[in-house]
Amino acid sequence: MFVPVEKADNKEDNYRLLLEYLPYYINRTDPWYTTLANAAAVLRYFIDEVNWIGFYIRQDQMLYLGPFQGLAACTQIQIGHGVCGQAAQQKSTLRVDDVHAFDGHITCDAASESEIVLPIMKDETLFGVLDIDAPVKNRFEAVDQVFLEKVVALLVDFL
Ligand code: SME
């Protein structure tokens, strides 16, 4: 059961709290979809100024919608398409300051203005991606990337 933790007043400390508390809500004996379902909820709690947080899971050359928090979203993204598919193809994090300026961006929630997508690598293969959308431009800075890469590293260990 989620015990609401008092949040900090700055995003760095909230990421620190997220990294401290996330392990209490995930278990190595659970299947990946259970782990990522709780992870999506915990991320949503600790990360401010975002409108969509979720996971896309790779199967062959496709990404399929996984656990998320936010409005219903597109269920399939081809590897190489959209921000998610390009991050998956490049196996590197993509930070997009203005989604309207990103060639091939796929709109799921019309409120989204900026986005970050991190690849999730498990045993040197692409498991999926973590996708976070924000309703403001330039929401994701280098510091967000640093902490979110730590979150992904923590999660991989539980998948
Ligand atoms: N914007 C993403 C699609 C997924 S939604 O944002 C939830 C993209 O361009 O891949």
Side-chain angles (χ1 to χ4, degrees):
M1 179 178 317
F2 188 75
V3 182
V5 174
E6 197 174 332
K7 285 168 63 176
D9 62 2
N10 65 85
K11 69 178 172 184
E12 289 85 355
D13 283 341
N14 278 322
Y15 278 123
R16 289 187 189 100
L17 288 170
L18 162 58
L19 286 162
E20 182 184 342
Y21 284 95
L22 180 57
Y24 294 111
Y25 298 98
I26 56 181
N27 301 290
R28 287 193 174 77
T29 50
D30 288 333
W32 64 263
Y33 43 86
T34 303
T35 297
L36 295 186
N38 250 4
V42 175
L43 265 77
R44 183 72 187 91
Y45 180 78
F46 281 108
I47 301 176
D48 290 326
E49 238 184 347
V50 298
N51 56 301
W52 201 91
I53 293 188
F55 298 92
Y56 279 90
I57 311 302
R58 186 189 66 83
Q59 241 180 52
D60 301 319
Q61 284 304 298
M62 292 294 285
L63 295 170
Y64 291 95
L65 182 63
F68 69 95
Q69 299 262 314
L71 293 183
C74 38
T75 59
Q76 302 185 15
I77 299 173
Q78 246 179 294
I79 302 280
H81 289 211
V83 187
C84 291
Q86 290 197 26
Q89 189 167 55
Q90 295 166 23
K91 297 186 173 67
S92 60
T93 299
L94 284 184
R95 255 174 31 224
V96 180
D97 288 339
D98 177 0
V99 296
H100 306 294
F102 186 95
D103 198 17
H105 170 259
I106 300 164
T107 303
C108 290
D109 181 343
S112 300
E113 294 284 343
S114 58
E115 178 164 7
I116 186 168
V117 180
L118 300 97
I120 303 172
M121 302 297 296
K122 173 87 182 164
D123 301 328
E124 285 165 37
T125 59
L126 184 81
F127 180 89
V129 299
L130 166 61
D131 178 21
I132 308 183
D133 288 16
V136 291
K137 289 187 173 55
N138 304 302
R139 163 66 182 77
F140 302 102
E141 306 171 297
V143 67
D144 293 280
Q145 181 172 344
V146 167
F147 277 107
L148 290 169
E149 285 174 353
K150 288 181 202 279
V151 170
V152 168
L154 191 160
L155 284 174
V156 163
D157 202 30
F158 284 77
L159 297 176

